[in-house]
Amino acid sequence: MITTFAGALNVGLRSAMEDDAKVVLLGEDIGRLGGVFRVTDTLQKDFGDNRVIDTPLAESGIVGTAFGMALRGYRPVVEIQFDGFVYPAFDQIVSQVAKIHNRTDGKVKAPLTIRIPFGGGIGAVEHHSESPEVYFAHTAGLRVVSPSTPADAYSMIRQAISLDDPVIFFEPKRRYWDKADVDFEGEPDLPLHRARVCTRGADATVVAYGGTVATALTAAKIAAEEGHSLEVIDLRSLSPIDVDTIAESVDKTGRLVIVHEAPVFAGLGAEIAARVTERCFYHLEAPVLRVGGYDIPYPPAKLEKHHLPDPDRILAAVDRCLAA
């Protein structure tokens, strides 16, 4: 069935709620409005306001309430309306949600999924285009994932909700309207922690996640027209990282370019570069390069196209690798 990224998430949430009465949704405007991106559209009408709960504008309270529900046997799914709004709930997430399993020696679990629309590309105002994923990837006790396609949006949200671990689920908001064929009857083709090889190539490996995967695929098509073969990997899981899949590719290509919207400094690309250098040192033909946002606060909407990685910047990094 052809559907949008947002539509696939909606079907995934609906399926999880039908399968388990303990799955409840909480967030600002997710009920009657259906969410600012309409991801939860019609769910309150079909499941009632005791399972799709409109909350006050208080992210710390939303996550704290959901955490308490998780401890009582529910499987809450929280929507943080925009990425930049998650910071008031940061203490709840990193100090309580992420720690409870270890604090209780494994006796208490927190099956909590926190959905966060993230990244730029939609012409939004301040605090609406952040990329805070590395804060959570750095926190032990959290799984951090980000789908890039409607098919993965559907399967990964269902997988996340079914886990007993807390999952930070980053949704690239500029991909909400992308359309693709989704098999709503099939089982997931990959575990939640595995990366996906999107295109096979021999000259260089390009790793991306979330909103930049489509950008990397566009770059690969342009490179093919110029006679270069790029292997594009969709990371999917940001913590844990599927280093094995990346290393297998780099052992073959000898070159790696990592792409993300977040600033390059201390970003997820730095961790991947370090891991690959350790694992693939004798196979590397060039330094590992990173393409990302600049080390500035997210710019105004009219300037964001200069800030976000585009195919030209990715291909410039590939050219540097090939020239080494």
Side-chain angles (χ1 to χ4, degrees):
M1 176 181 175
I2 302 295
T3 189
T4 63
F5 191 109
L9 285 170
N10 181 278
V11 177
L13 291 168
R14 178 181 295 277
S15 176
M17 296 181 76
E18 290 172 345
D19 291 344
D20 188 346
K22 293 292 187 179
V23 176
V24 295
L25 312 186
L26 301 89
E28 299 162 7
D29 299 319
I30 67 168
R32 293 181 62 185
L33 181 65
V36 292
F37 296 105
R38 303 300 185 268
V39 170
T40 54
D41 192 36
T42 74
L43 295 182
Q44 189 181 73
K45 177 175 67 69
D46 295 338
F47 292 96
D49 58 10
N50 62 329
R51 292 190 66 193
V52 182
I53 304 167
D54 279 317
T55 66
L57 275 67
E59 285 76 17
S60 180
I62 297 169
V63 173
T65 300
F67 180 47
M69 295 176 74
L71 298 183
R72 298 295 293 176
Y74 289 88
R75 292 188 175 273
V77 182
V78 167
E79 179 182 297
I80 302 295
Q81 197 170 74
F82 282 92
D83 35 40
F85 301 168
V86 73
Y87 301 118
F90 191 77
D91 180 47
Q92 293 279 12
I93 297 169
V94 303
S95 299
Q96 306 302 329
V97 174
K99 302 293 192 294
I100 191 66
H101 188 77
N102 183 71
R103 183 182 296 145
T104 62
D105 197 26
K107 295 181 178 64
V108 176
K109 298 178 175 60
L112 168 61
T113 302
I114 301 175
R115 297 179 41 241
I116 306 176
F118 85 122
I122 64 167
V125 297
E126 188 180 19
H127 304 309
H128 289 67
S129 300
E130 304 290 318
S131 294
E133 60 270 21
V134 74
Y135 295 124
F136 301 103
H138 183 72
T139 302
L142 300 174
R143 287 177 181 251
V144 185
V145 301
S146 181
S148 69
T149 66
D152 270 350
Y154 168 72
S155 62
M156 290 172 68
I157 192 65
R158 294 182 65 206
Q159 288 172 300
I161 295 170
S162 70
L163 291 176
D164 287 333
D165 300 323
V167 180
I168 311 297
F169 195 91
F170 281 104
E171 302 165 8
K173 65 175 78 75
R174 61 172 159 152
R175 303 301 175 198
Y176 274 139
W177 301 276
D178 289 1
K179 291 184 177 181
D181 190 20
V182 179
D183 179 8
F184 292 126
E185 303 299 325
E187 294 298 315
D189 62 343
L190 286 175
L192 194 60
H193 66 277
R194 287 285 303 279
R196 182 187 304 282
V197 179
C198 300
T199 62
R200 297 287 179 180
D203 295 330
T205 300
V206 179
V207 171
Y209 60 86
T212 59
V213 174
T215 311
L217 290 170
T218 299
K221 290 181 181 178
I222 297 171
E225 296 171 358
E226 298 173 350
H228 299 308
S229 172
L230 303 185
E231 185 150 296
V232 177
I233 296 177
D234 178 359
L235 196 58
R236 299 175 76 246
S237 176
L238 315 188
S239 181
I241 295 171
D242 182 6
V243 180
D244 289 344
T245 296
I246 302 170
E248 182 180 354
S249 177
V250 174
D251 284 347
K252 175 180 64 175
T253 66
R255 296 171 172 84
L256 174 62
V257 174
I258 308 160
V259 185
H260 53 63
E261 291 187 26
V264 167
F265 180 77
L268 202 67
E271 177 65 22
I272 297 170
R275 295 290 186 98
V276 168
T277 301
E278 292 172 357
R279 288 275 297 269
C280 309
F281 184 79
Y282 292 105
H283 293 270
L284 285 168
E285 302 289 342
V288 177
L289 299 180
R290 293 168 290 161
V291 179
Y294 298 108
D295 298 330
I296 58 173
Y298 197 86
K302 290 183 178 180
L303 299 176
E304 69 176 353
K305 68 179 181 180
H306 303 292
H307 178 76
L308 297 172
D310 61 14
D312 286 341
R313 288 176 59 195
I314 296 172
L315 291 172
V318 170
D319 287 344
R320 287 175 58 198
C321 282
L322 295 175

